[in-house]
Amino acid sequence: MSQLPTPPAATKIEHLREHHGESVNDPYEWLRDKNDPQVIAHLEAENAYTQARTSHLDGLTDAVFNEIKSRTQQTDLSVPVRHGDWWYYSRTVEGQQYAIHSRIALTDSPERPQLEPGGAPAHEQILLDGNAEAQGESFLAFGAFEMSHDGNQLAYSIDTSGDERFTVRIKDLATGTVTEPGIEGVGYGVAWSADGSHLFYTRVDDAWRPFQVWRHEIGGSGEDVLIFQEDDERYWMGLDTSRDETHIMIGLGTKNTSEYRILPATDPLGEFRVVSPREEGVEYAVEVAGDDLWIVHNKSHKDSELARAPLNSTSSADWTSVIPGQDGQRIVGVDAFATHLAVSLRRDALSQVRILPLDAASETGVGEGYQVPVDEVVYSIDTGNNPAHDTASLQVVIESLVTPRSVYDVDLATGELTLLKRQPVLGGYDPNDYVQHRLWATAADGTQVPISLVARKDVSPDGTAPGLLYGYGSYEISVDPYFSVARLSYLDRGVVYAIAHIRGGGEMGRGWYENGRMEHKKNTFTDFVTCADELVSSGWVAPDRLAAEGGSAGGLLVGAVLNLAPEKFRAVHAAVPFVDALTTILDPSLPLTVGEWEEWGNPLESAEVYEYMRTYTPYENIRTVDYPAILATTGLNDTRVFFVEPAKWVARLRETVTSDPQTRPVLLKTEMVAGHGGKTGRYDAWRETAFEVAFLLDQLGAN
């Protein structure tokens, strides 16, 4: 057996954490400072070690990368969408990392444009070429992309480090020149005044919380004006324009409470009006449409209801119920158009879209509607790109574990679906070669936990197949069944792929979320273990050939699961993992922390919360037993989950676990110029994914 390279050993420096009468030494906390040359040297040593330990995977990584590339139609066109006097779309070109965003005038192309054999559609006007913007940069991500109402100006924002702090630029589309100096340190969301004279944008505080709205005068010589500031550190801020383009909207929300403020887009110097003052525990979202406000809220039912209010409403007392709350039916949102509403719902761990015609004669303002049909056992459906308020059709996107992303037009009057585009999958892909199932795992408390599963048709549940179980389970975020080209590299090697729809997510309604947060957080972890057991007991996966994967809060999930049941997994990929949650949530100066107290609890104030988190945080609970092979991936400039969390976790794992490092290594891979989402160029992202896939395939013996 060849000599193994020696893993980096992080220096131990005493660092005491003292809370609620407990003093804890955290000797790897010094790794937090990315400006310290010793920290960078350690991360680079970890990268070198990971490269050395996985050099045997180079051929497999190349193979998976080429599979992703060969299955992808690299020169492609999104479905052009009509808005105003233009068709808007994006397109990709083989060999180029980023999309090109463009438009064509209706006068030049009365029908929806098509990709020409030579490349770009005729009469194209390029709005923004991501490849040109990326010149000279190691990283590029876009935040805002917002056209002025007259279509003459484009406001867009870029991030070249991965820290999600953007620079806004304004382009005159007649000349193609950037007309305004870059506005730096901006958060997500921009909005134009109706006449294009002013642009509104958000700024973030030191903890990366969007907390201010500013107004910028186009061509003005004065300073930008602070319009609104949210001082409650629990509240996150969003900024947008209503679909009918009549109002600028500020959305404010904690994990439990929300508030909206609106301003006519024709009155950029005016004052924002509160739609309904914040009430602790009441969440609502607003859609402006003509003389009405359509509001989804939880004031009378935890799974929300749809209400209507007059445009000038300033209180929830004005809300009239349209769709009352129902047990087992979660109302997620509403899109309002000139003649219809599109209501997004969840039921039985599946998404739905219901169309309701507007009816002035009806007491509720809507008539009888219909549900957009989907004929699959597990799937996801959502409203697509629908910028026009006055439209006779609705774009919806439907996909599943076997059906590639499919864009349809729904005739609002008749409900008829017309397929506009299905994601091409090259190389002879046939969905009939695969099967998808819905399984249910029974938790210790009797709760039925749904699982979505896909495998090649020739894979039998005979207890021999390798498998990969993915999970998230936080923030009421649902991981709906979706199609993935990269996943085919697992399936075609006989790997069974499954998604655990565990508590803490939103798949089964608000109660599903509430039973996996705060003092119920451990349900998230035990549900995942229950799902792993179901895959094995049902015969779909061999007991010694199951891997796990999760990212961000899903990284906390798999880290906690490893401490609970390390013997159940052969390998784990933890992406940008929130594995040192207690340390982070104890420090209100860090990004997101104060707002997170409503998700995890406040361990600063509560000894009970402190002790509860202490018992499940992955970094705090590593055991002296055999663990699976572990790959932790992160980005140096990640603002959401600092790189220090997986760096500390890996250091502590190495000094504690008893696994054979020859067969079950513990590895850390840090992208030195990237953030929470990793690399952004598509070929770079595919290469990164291919490495992660190769690592798990190798560990599962499926290479």
Side-chain angles (χ1 to χ4, degrees):
M1 188 174 291
S2 60
Q3 182 68 34
L4 287 175
T6 303
T11 302
K12 291 185 177 184
I13 301 175
E14 184 178 71
H15 178 92
L16 296 180
R17 183 188 74 203
E18 298 182 354
H19 294 281
H20 306 293
E22 180 182 61
S23 180
V24 176
N25 181 28
D26 186 356
Y28 300 121
E29 177 61 17
W30 68 273
L31 288 168
R32 184 173 298 276
D33 184 6
K34 70 178 182 181
N35 295 314
D36 183 343
Q38 294 183 66
V39 172
I40 298 301
H42 177 75
L43 296 177
E44 289 174 341
E46 287 281 11
N47 282 347
Y49 175 69
T50 295
Q51 184 175 13
R53 286 304 316 273
T54 59
S55 60
H56 67 290
L57 297 178
D58 289 349
L60 181 56
T61 298
D62 287 343
V64 173
F65 172 77
N66 287 324
E67 288 165 12
I68 296 171
K69 195 165 98 169
S70 65
R71 287 170 174 148
T72 302
Q73 186 165 302
Q74 296 172 60
T75 297
D76 204 1
L77 181 78
S78 70
V79 174
V81 174
R82 180 175 173 176
H83 187 45
D85 296 327
W86 300 85
W87 293 104
Y88 289 89
Y89 60 90
S90 63
R91 61 183 178 87
T92 54
V93 178
E94 184 171 357
Q96 295 185 357
Q97 294 268 27
Y98 295 94
I100 300 167
H101 304 275
S102 306
R103 68 180 181 180
I104 296 175
L106 289 173
T107 52
D108 290 325
S109 180
E111 302 299 321
R112 184 174 274 113
Q114 302 292 323
L115 196 63
E116 301 290 339
H123 308 292
E124 174 183 77
Q125 179 187 12
I126 293 178
L127 305 174
L128 188 64
D129 183 346
N131 304 287
E133 295 290 332
Q135 288 293 321
E137 304 291 350
S138 300
F139 178 93
L140 179 73
F142 291 104
F145 185 93
E146 192 76 16
M147 303 293 302
S148 61
H149 295 213
D150 61 9
N152 293 332
Q153 299 179 89
L154 170 66
Y156 67 99
S157 63
I158 63 170
D159 166 21
T160 57
S161 70
D163 65 359
E164 297 183 77
R165 291 170 173 85
F166 297 90
T167 297
V168 173
R169 296 173 180 167
I170 299 169
K171 180 184 282 191
D172 182 325
L173 296 177
T175 64
T177 59
V178 174
T179 59
E180 302 285 317
I183 307 170
E184 298 183 349
V186 174
Y188 289 98
V190 300
W192 286 99
S193 64
D195 61 3
S197 64
H198 293 84
L199 183 76
F200 295 79
Y201 61 90
T202 66
R203 286 201 182 278
V204 297
D205 61 15
D206 291 340
W208 191 66
R209 178 182 66 96
F211 79 122
Q212 293 177 333
V213 174
W214 289 75
R215 185 181 65 222
H216 173 80
E217 183 180 5
I218 306 301
S221 57
E223 298 289 326
D224 290 0
V225 178
L226 175 62
I227 298 301
F228 175 76
Q229 178 167 312
E230 176 55 60
D231 292 321
D232 189 329
E233 293 179 276
R234 298 176 302 157
Y235 280 82
W236 190 266
M237 175 187 292
L239 177 68
D240 204 354
T241 305
S242 62
R243 185 185 310 280
D244 66 1
E245 299 187 332
T246 62
H247 285 76
I248 298 164
M249 308 175 67
I250 299 173
L252 301 158
T254 73
K255 300 295 187 298
N256 299 314
T257 307
S258 55
E259 180 181 87
Y260 274 77
R261 296 166 181 251
I262 62 176
L263 172 72
T266 55
D267 185 22
L269 304 184
E271 296 289 329
F272 280 83
R273 170 174 59 85
V274 177
V275 171
S276 181
R278 63 191 67 174
E279 299 177 58
E280 197 67 31
V282 174
E283 295 179 284
Y284 71 93
V286 175
E287 179 86 340
V288 180
D291 295 329
D292 291 313
L293 300 177
W294 298 94
I295 299 164
V296 173
H297 69 90
N298 69 344
K299 190 175 177 66
S300 54
H301 196 284
K302 69 178 181 180
D303 277 330
S304 296
E305 70 173 79
L306 175 64
R308 180 189 185 191
L311 179 62
N312 61 0
S313 171
T314 57
S315 168
S316 60
D318 300 328
W319 299 351
T320 301
S321 180
V322 176
I323 302 178
Q326 300 177 33
D327 292 343
Q329 175 178 278
R330 177 76 159 120
I331 300 178
V332 179
V334 61
D335 296 317
F337 301 92
T339 61
H340 288 73
L341 302 179
V343 184
S344 298
L345 311 104
R346 304 197 63 84
R347 180 182 287 277
D348 298 328
L350 293 171
S351 49
Q352 300 177 358
V353 173
R354 187 176 302 167
I355 308 298
L356 301 175
L358 298 181
D359 182 359
S362 167
E363 183 178 346
T364 62
V366 299
E368 289 295 322
Y370 57 89
Q371 181 176 318
V372 179
V374 184
D375 186 22
E376 299 205 51
V377 64
V378 293
Y379 63 87
S380 65
I381 180 173
D382 200 359
T383 54
N385 188 1
N386 295 287
H389 174 67
D390 190 1
T391 180
S393 62
L394 172 77
Q395 185 187 107
V396 298
V397 179
I398 300 172
E399 61 185 312
S400 75
L401 296 170
V402 300
T403 302
R405 186 178 189 273
S406 305
V407 180
Y408 291 87
D409 254 354
V410 181
D411 185 304
L412 290 171
T414 67
E416 181 181 356
L417 272 69
T418 301
L419 179 64
L420 301 178
K421 181 181 178 68
R422 176 161 290 150
Q423 174 189 351
V425 183
L426 308 182
Y429 172 75
D430 184 349
N432 294 314
D433 291 338
Y434 306 85
V435 291
Q436 56 182 357
H437 299 279
R438 167 57 52 82
L439 307 180
W440 295 88
T442 304
D445 62 2
T447 299
Q448 294 290 295
V449 183
I451 303 170
S452 297
L453 179 148
V454 62
R456 277 191 65 91
K457 186 179 288 185
D458 57 4
V459 174
S460 301
D462 59 5
T464 65
L468 174 57
L469 182 62
Y470 179 87
Y472 188 77
S474 291
Y475 305 110
E476 203 178 357
I477 292 173
S478 300
V479 183
D480 290 318
Y482 65 97
F483 184 81
S484 166
V485 165
R487 187 189 299 132
L488 296 176
S489 293
Y490 286 120
L491 300 181
D492 286 350
R493 289 173 173 84
V495 178
V496 174
Y497 186 94
I499 301 170
H501 303 290
I502 48 186
R503 280 177 282 187
E507 288 89 341
M508 298 280 281
R510 182 70 179 193
W512 198 250
Y513 168 50
E514 291 174 347
N515 283 312
R517 71 191 283 215
M518 303 288 280
E519 71 273 17
H520 305 297
K521 188 61 204 171
K522 290 182 183 180
N523 285 335
T524 302
F525 316 135
T526 55
D527 281 359
F528 192 85
V529 174
T530 295
C531 291
D533 288 340
E534 177 63 25
L535 293 179
V536 172
S537 64
S538 63
W540 277 108
V541 178
D544 59 345
R545 301 186 75 190
L546 178 61
E549 185 174 44
S552 195
L556 182 153
L557 162 70
V558 296
V561 164
L562 289 187
N563 295 333
L564 279 175
E567 72 283 355
K568 295 183 184 293
F569 301 93
R570 181 64 182 82
V572 166
H573 173 217
V576 290
F578 187 37
V579 284
D580 191 20
L582 183 56
T583 300
T584 296
I585 299 301
L586 282 167
D587 187 349
S589 70
L590 293 177
L592 305 178
T593 288
V594 174
E596 295 288 280
W597 286 340
E598 291 185 354
E599 177 76 19
W600 313 95
N602 183 350
L604 270 178
E605 297 295 329
S606 169
E608 290 77 16
V609 170
Y610 176 89
E611 181 54 31
Y612 186 69
M613 291 191 70
R614 177 100 156 73
T615 62
Y616 71 70
T617 300
Y619 181 62
E620 310 276 341
N621 291 282
I622 297 167
R623 296 160 56 194
T624 309
V625 296
D626 286 356
Y627 271 54
I630 296 171
L631 172 64
T633 55
T634 187
L636 182 65
N637 297 323
D638 191 343
T639 298
R640 297 171 185 256
V641 179
F642 282 10
F643 72 91
V644 67
E645 299 206 21
K648 290 169 59 176
W649 183 55
V650 164
R652 181 164 281 178
L653 281 164
R654 288 218 191 97
E655 69 170 319
T656 305
V657 301
T658 59
S659 313
D660 179 359
Q662 176 76 38
T663 57
R664 300 192 176 194
V666 177
L667 306 175
L668 173 66
K669 185 173 184 287
T670 304
E671 294 297 338
M672 302 306 284
V673 185
H676 198 61
K679 293 183 176 180
T680 53
R682 59 176 177 160
Y683 294 102
D684 291 342
W686 293 347
R687 176 68 66 178
E688 188 175 322
T689 297
F691 170 75
E692 295 158 1
V693 171
F695 173 81
L696 292 178
L697 286 174
D698 180 61
Q699 288 293 327
L700 292 174
N703 51 356

